[in-house]
Amino acid sequence: MWSGFPLFPEQASTHAGRVDALYFFLIALTAFFSLLIGFMVIGFAIRYRRRSPDDRPPAIYGSLALELTWTIIPLGIVAVIFFWSADVYLSLNRVPKDAIEVHVVGKRWMWKVQHITGQREINELHVPVGVPVKLTLTSEDVIHSFFIPAFRVKKDALPARYTTAWFQATKPGRYHLFCAEYCGTRHSNMIGSIVVMEPAAFQAWLAGGGPGVSLASAGEKLFQDLACVTCHKADSGARGPALDGLFGRPVALADGGTVTADETYIRESIVAPSAKVVAGYQPIMPTFQGLVSEEQLLQLVAYVRSLKAKAPAAGAPPAPPVAAAPGARP
Ligand code: HEC
Ligand SMILES: [Cu+2]
């Protein structure tokens, strides 16, 4: 209904309609009560004005009916706002399982994008229409924010941490991309575009970049080049834990705690290995802070994610790390 109205960006994702409906509801509610209160202030001021100096109103000793009304009606209204916005919030944050993955690194003052298949772009992101796309965001320096108004998607990109967002574009076209977190002198130039293509055109675009090296194979090469492999070979003599099947499983730590091996944990294990030391191992892993860029870290993380468990009994509970070595049979 508002699509032609220049104040509102185009609706081009599955989120857009839901976010807007909530937004318009809040605007309408606020306008209704502002007008109601405004007219009552004026109306009562006129109706109950003092007409003579000895005009005294009768004393009031409270009204249960009135108090119940002004408690129950607002409670109902805020409950509607709460459940409605919680529902929208969850749908914005629950990434569908079949989403294709895109990795984004913010850097003063540009957006660097890597597709899982290895294609890279700067200040542009090509995606297919009608397919959920998951973004994994991080920053090489300060806080940035990845904002696509037409999709109603905005997510901060934080240094040393991964955040995620997702969207499903509904129409082909080119849409604005902004940085929505003031990040320095050229913040306002930190702009780009999202190019939404028909799936076939998107496949052609992907292929057009030549036979790209996938993110995970780029990570595998780094794993060799940086000599990670010398400590992380999956045999009993290895000085570091085998990384097969690590992603997504709980890891017992030397300090007695447990952590789930997600992207952030794997990244931290590489740049700050002593922050969380795996139980049963010495903290001998050197830090790779400063030796690998955020993009390379994403490649290493993608590689570690791609290492599936080799253990014979799939789904078996994680064995204690020291005893895990016999699992390395071919
Ligand atoms: C000098 C040997 C050594 C090198 C080189 C090394 N690591 Fe490690 N790594 C270890 C040890 C020992 C641990 C376990 C103790 C700890 O958590 O610090 C470990 C832990 C890890 C973990 C956490 C494993 C788990 O089970 O939770 C990851 C991920 C990891 N290393 C990745 C890498 C990557 C990627 C590289 C190369 C960039 C690398 N390592 C290079 C020795 C090494
Ligand atoms: Cu920025």
Side-chain angles (χ1 to χ4, degrees):
M1 82 177 147
W2 292 94
S3 50
F5 195 65
L7 266 185
F8 296 94
E10 201 175 334
Q11 297 182 333
S13 82
T14 51
H15 297 318
R18 311 191 58 185
V19 172
D20 287 1
L22 176 63
Y23 180 76
F24 291 136
F25 170 72
L26 293 176
I27 293 285
L29 193 71
T30 316
F32 172 76
F33 279 103
S34 305
L35 291 175
L36 181 73
I37 292 168
F39 283 123
M40 280 167 85
V41 166
I42 296 167
F44 286 7
I46 294 169
R47 183 155 157 61
Y48 298 108
R49 71 188 184 281
R50 180 173 287 188
R51 281 157 227 256
S52 72
D54 49 16
D55 190 5
R56 295 255 190 284
I60 297 171
Y61 298 99
S63 158
L64 183 63
L66 207 56
E67 294 205 20
L68 284 177
T69 315
W70 75 47
T71 305
I72 290 169
I73 293 180
L75 182 70
I77 294 172
V78 293
V80 167
I81 297 174
F82 173 77
F83 287 107
W84 189 347
S85 40
D87 181 49
V88 173
Y89 179 84
L90 286 178
S91 79
L92 281 169
N93 284 284
R94 277 206 195 118
V95 184
K97 281 273 175 290
D98 56 344
I100 61 170
E101 292 199 29
V102 170
H103 296 79
V104 179
V105 178
K107 176 180 186 261
R108 286 183 291 180
W109 287 275
M110 63 174 91
W111 294 107
K112 297 190 284 186
V113 174
Q114 295 186 99
H115 291 261
I116 201 88
T117 42
Q119 280 76 9
R120 295 160 155 231
E121 335 183 35
I122 287 185
N123 291 340
E124 271 202 344
L125 168 58
H126 288 74
V127 292
V129 68
V131 175
V133 177
K134 174 187 173 189
L135 304 171
T136 302
L137 304 145
T138 188
S139 163
E140 216 160 287
D141 37 48
V142 298
I143 301 179
H144 301 280
S145 190
F146 195 84
F147 181 30
I148 315 167
F151 294 177
R152 312 294 188 271
V153 165
K154 185 197 280 171
K155 196 72 176 193
D156 281 7
L158 307 173
R161 208 183 296 180
Y162 292 131
T163 51
T164 53
W166 79 277
F167 59 78
Q168 177 170 332
T170 49
K171 350 178 197 175
R174 185 176 270 271
Y175 305 98
H176 288 296
L177 163 65
F178 296 112
C179 177
E181 180 69 53
Y182 182 63
C183 57
T185 43
R186 294 185 54 216
H187 161 70
S188 56
N189 287 344
M190 195 164 163
I191 50 180
S193 24
I194 310 294
V195 183
V196 178
M197 310 170 93
E198 293 294 348
F202 177 71
Q203 288 309 326
W205 176 85
L206 272 187
V213 181
S214 81
L215 211 57
S217 358
E220 182 172 14
K221 181 158 187 309
L222 281 171
F223 202 75
Q224 309 281 343
D225 295 351
L226 296 167
C228 315
V229 69
T230 54
C231 294
H232 288 289
K233 270 180 305 202
D235 63 35
S236 46
R239 291 189 284 166
L243 303 179
D244 310 287
L246 171 65
F247 187 77
R249 89 166 149 74
V251 176
L253 300 177
D255 64 8
T258 333
V259 58
T260 301
D262 57 7
E263 283 104 336
T264 303
Y265 167 75
I266 293 172
R267 183 192 173 283
E268 188 191 58
S269 297
I270 302 170
V271 293
S274 45
K276 297 194 180 79
V277 175
V278 182
Y281 288 91
Q282 294 301 313
I284 54 160
M285 176 167 158
T287 171
F288 288 83
Q289 178 87 59
L291 297 177
V292 281
S293 68
E294 287 300 333
E295 285 169 288
Q296 291 175 322
L297 281 167
L298 283 164
Q299 295 166 359
L300 282 168
V301 170
Y303 171 62
V304 173
R305 272 183 71 175
S306 73
L307 297 170
K308 296 282 174 278
K310 290 205 191 90
V322 183
R329 273 179 293 134

